[in-house]
Amino acid sequence: MATVENDFLAAARFFVQAVAHDPEDRFLQDSALVALVSAGEIDRAADLAKRIGSDGEPTELSRLIDRAERVHEGDWAGLLAEVGTPTDAESQADLLAGMLRGWGLLGAGKAKDALAEFERLARLDGVAPMVNYHLALARALVGDYEGAESLLADETTGAHILGFAARAQILVQLERRDEATAMIEAIPGVEAEPQLLALRDRIASGQPVPFDVVKTPADGIAQVFLTFASALASSPDPEPLSLIHARLAAWLSPETAEARLMVAQILQERQQFDLAEPEFDALRRMGQMRPAAELVRIDTLSRADRIEEAGKAALSLTAAYPDLPQAWIALGDLLRQQEKFAQAVPAYDKALALLEDAPADARWFPLYARGIALERSQQFDRAEADFLAAIEIRPNQASLLNYLGYSWIDRNENLDHALGLIQKAVELSPDDGYILDSLAWAYYRLGRFDEAVAPMEAAILTMSQDPLVNDHLGDIYWKVGRQREAEIQWQRVLSLKPTETDDVDPDRIRAKLDRGLDAVLAEESAAGTADTPAPVPQAANN
C-alpha cells in the first residue's frame, strides 16, 4: 500500500523488514531496492544490491545499482568488467550498458577507446542524437572542443538546456565569445532561463568561463542516467524507473542541477512533497532555482492545499527574481485563493508594471486577476477598468465576460450590456455550470423568472453538489410558482452541509423553508438587508 501511495520511506522500511524474513525472494529484494532508491537511501540500496549479487544471480535492478556504485567508488575496471564488450545487437537492446562502457573507458584513462565506443553506438538505429550529445561531452572533456562544438551545433543533439550551456562554454574555449552570446540570445524562451542569461552575461563581459557541464567521467555517467530518466519520464505512461535513474544521476553528480531538479519534479508529481523539498532547497543553495520549475511547483503545492508552502515558494521566487512578472502573478493568485484580496492587489500591480511593454496577450490574465481582487476588496471602479482592458485584449474569454457581466448585474448597473456579456459567455462555453448559473441568476435579478429556469436547471446538471446553485434553483422555482420543488431544493442545500465558503447561510435557508421566500425577502427589505448575495463568478486560470 505504501508503494501504491508513493510513500517511498514507508515502503522501504516494510520491504527491508520483509527481505530480512525471506532473503531469497527476488520480488521482495527488487521492491526494497525500488523503494530505497526512490526515497534517496542509495547507500543502503547499494549494500543490498551487493548482497543480492553475492548470493546468486543478480536482478536487472540490482545490477544497475551495482554499476552505479562502482562509478561512485571510482572502480572503473570493475565497471568495465561488469558491462563487458557488447556487440552492436546487444547494444541496440541495452544502450545504457554501451554508454556506461564509453564513459567507463574514459574513466579508466582510455580516451581513444572511449570516443570510438561512442562513435560505434551513434551508428545504431535511432539513437544518434542521444549518443552524439555524450560523445560531444566526452570530446570536450578530453580537450577536443572543435569536435564537440560541431556535434552540439546539430539541433537534434544539442537543443536543450544542458546542450546550450555546454556549447556556449565550448565556444568560449574556442575564443568565439560573440558567437556564444548570439547563440544564447537566439534560444526560444531564453528570457525564462536565468541560468543561461547569467552565462551569457559572464561570456559577454569577458569573465573566465570554464567548460564544467561535466568535470569527470562520473559526471558523464550521471548525465547518462539523466538522459534515460528524461526519456522514461516523458513517455505516455511514465515509467517508475524514471525516478530511479534520476536519483542515481543526482547521487553520482550532486552538483548537476538538472538531476536534482528532475528528482524534485518527479517526487512532486507523485505528491511526495516532503521528499521533494530537500531537492528544491539544494537547488536554491546552489543558485540554481529555475523560475519555470518553481512556478509549476507553486501551482502543484497550491492544488494539493499546501498553501503555506506554496506561499513561501512564491515569496522566495519574487525575492530571487524580482523582475519576473510571472512570480508576482503566482503570489497574487495564492493570496487571492486565500481570499486575501487587498493583499493580492499590490502583487498584481508589480506584475503589470513589469509587463508594461510586453505584448498585450501577456497582460490580459493579470488584469483579469487584479480586477477580481479589486472587486472583492470593494474597489469596483478600478476593477471595472481592469476587466474592460482585459476584454479588449481577449474579447472571447468566457469567464472574463461572465465576471464583469455578473458584477454589473449584482450592482444593478449597465443591465442590458451585462446580460449581453453573460449571454455571449454562454455561447462560448455552453456547458460551463458557473456561467449558466450566472445567466440564470442575472435573469432572476432582472425579474425575468421564467427565463431563469432553463439555464439554472442546466447548471444544476453539472453542479449538483454545489449548495449555492441548489439554493438559486430553489429561489427561481419559488418565483415561478413551483413552491414544493423550491422547498425540495432548499432541503437539499441543508443536506449538503454548506460552509462559509459556499456563500450560503443555513439559517436563511431554514427561514425560507419555514416562512417562504417572499416573507424572507420582505423581512430583509424592511430591515434594510440586501437580497441574497450574488454568487462569485468562477475565475479562470491563466
Side-chain angles (χ1 to χ4, degrees), residues 158-463:
H160 48 83
I161 295 296
L162 286 170
F164 291 133
R167 187 180 176 209
Q169 291 177 356
I170 288 166
L171 286 168
V172 172
Q173 314 314 308
L174 294 170
E175 299 185 355
R176 294 158 63 183
R177 285 179 178 262
D178 290 345
E179 195 175 335
T181 301
M183 183 271 293
I184 292 175
E185 290 177 345
I187 297 170
V190 71
E191 62 279 355
E193 297 294 344
Q195 281 69 29
L196 287 177
L197 294 176
L199 175 59
R200 176 204 62 186
D201 293 343
R202 293 204 314 275
I203 294 170
S205 64
Q207 297 178 47
V209 176
F211 174 74
D212 62 3
V213 170
V214 293
K215 299 176 183 177
T216 67
D219 290 341
I221 288 180
Q223 292 239 7
V224 171
F225 284 126
L226 182 58
T227 298
F228 277 80
S230 300
L232 292 164
S234 62
S235 63
D237 185 18
E239 287 274 351
L241 281 172
S242 59
L243 177 57
I244 289 174
H245 283 82
R247 280 288 200 189
L248 293 175
W251 184 56
L252 294 176
S253 185
E255 298 304 310
T256 298
E258 292 296 327
R260 306 295 289 262
L261 179 59
M262 175 158 282
V263 169
Q265 289 177 323
I266 295 173
L267 288 168
Q268 178 177 262
E269 289 167 5
R270 298 180 186 181
Q271 303 289 299
Q272 293 304 300
F273 300 106
D274 292 338
L275 285 174
E277 196 58 32
E279 304 303 321
F280 284 116
D281 283 341
L283 289 168
R284 282 192 288 270
R285 290 194 302 272
M286 294 160 60
Q288 292 285 337
M289 182 188 290
R290 305 293 174 86
E294 283 295 295
L295 290 168
V296 172
R297 174 174 169 243
I298 291 164
D299 181 64
T300 304
L301 287 168
S302 173
R303 292 175 187 274
D305 291 326
R306 297 174 74 108
I307 301 300
E308 183 177 352
E309 292 164 79
K312 289 179 180 177
L315 288 170
S316 295
L317 187 58
T318 57
Y321 299 103
D323 295 329
L324 184 68
Q326 291 82 1
W328 294 101
I329 293 170
L331 178 59
D333 289 348
L334 278 171
L335 292 167
R336 183 163 54 88
Q337 181 181 337
Q338 298 172 74
E339 300 188 359
K340 297 177 180 179
F341 300 110
Q343 294 171 252
V345 171
Y348 292 127
D349 288 343
K350 177 70 173 177
L352 285 162
L354 291 167
L355 290 168
E356 184 176 4
D357 298 324
D361 205 53
R363 294 173 53 82
W364 85 268
F365 181 79
L367 282 167
Y368 175 30
R370 185 174 70 178
I372 295 171
L374 288 164
E375 186 269 334
R376 297 305 303 275
S377 56
Q378 311 303 315
Q379 302 179 65
F380 187 73
D381 288 345
R382 284 188 66 195
E384 183 181 52
D386 278 355
F387 291 140
L388 290 170
I391 288 173
E392 187 174 342
I393 299 169
R394 284 285 188 94
N396 293 319
Q397 183 66 37
S399 57
L400 174 55
L401 298 171
N402 177 54
Y403 204 107
L404 177 57
Y406 200 91
S407 297
W408 276 338
I409 290 286
D410 187 42
R411 296 171 63 83
N412 203 33
E413 297 174 0
N414 302 322
L415 299 183
D416 291 337
H417 190 184
L419 183 58
L421 291 180
I422 297 174
Q423 288 171 331
K424 182 178 179 181
V426 172
E427 291 173 6
L428 292 166
S429 189
D431 298 322
D432 188 311
Y434 288 103
I435 296 177
L436 290 167
D437 176 59
S438 291
L439 177 62
W441 202 241
Y443 283 136
Y444 175 90
R445 295 297 290 267
L446 291 168
R448 295 162 63 172
F449 303 123
D450 289 334
E451 293 173 84
V453 174
M456 190 59 79
E457 288 180 336
I460 207 74
L461 290 175
T462 64
M463 304 170 66

Side-chain angles (χ1 to χ4, degrees), residues 64-117:
L64 176 70
I65 294 169
D66 182 62
R67 291 172 175 177
E69 201 270 340
R70 291 178 187 277
V71 177
H72 193 259
E73 297 298 316
D75 180 9
W76 300 109
L79 174 67
L80 292 172
E82 211 284 320
V83 298
T85 307
T87 64
D88 285 356
E90 290 169 335
S91 295
Q92 191 79 59
D94 186 3
L95 180 63
L96 178 59
M99 295 180 75
L100 292 179
R101 176 174 169 76
W103 283 109
L105 287 165
L106 195 59
K110 300 177 180 180
K112 184 177 179 180
D113 292 342
L115 298 179
E117 178 67 7

Side-chain angles (χ1 to χ4, degrees), residues 486-535:
E487 291 170 354
I488 292 172
Q489 289 304 132
W490 292 330
Q491 288 167 347
R492 176 164 175 75
V493 173
L494 294 177
S495 75
L496 293 171
K497 298 180 180 179
T499 64
E500 291 181 5
T501 59
D502 294 313
D503 289 322
V504 172
D505 180 359
D507 290 336
R508 189 173 188 272
I509 301 296
R510 295 187 188 97
K512 288 191 285 188
L513 284 167
D514 183 43
R515 301 188 294 282
L517 176 61
D518 294 333
V520 170
L521 293 176
E523 292 164 4
E524 291 173 345
S525 177
T529 306
D531 196 356
T532 308

Side-chain angles (χ1 to χ4, degrees), residues 15-36:
F15 277 125
V16 167
Q17 290 174 356
V19 168
H21 288 286
D22 191 354
E24 305 302 321
D25 190 309
R26 286 294 193 253
F27 171 78
L28 292 178
Q29 291 170 340
D30 262 3
S31 297
L33 290 175
V34 169
L36 286 166

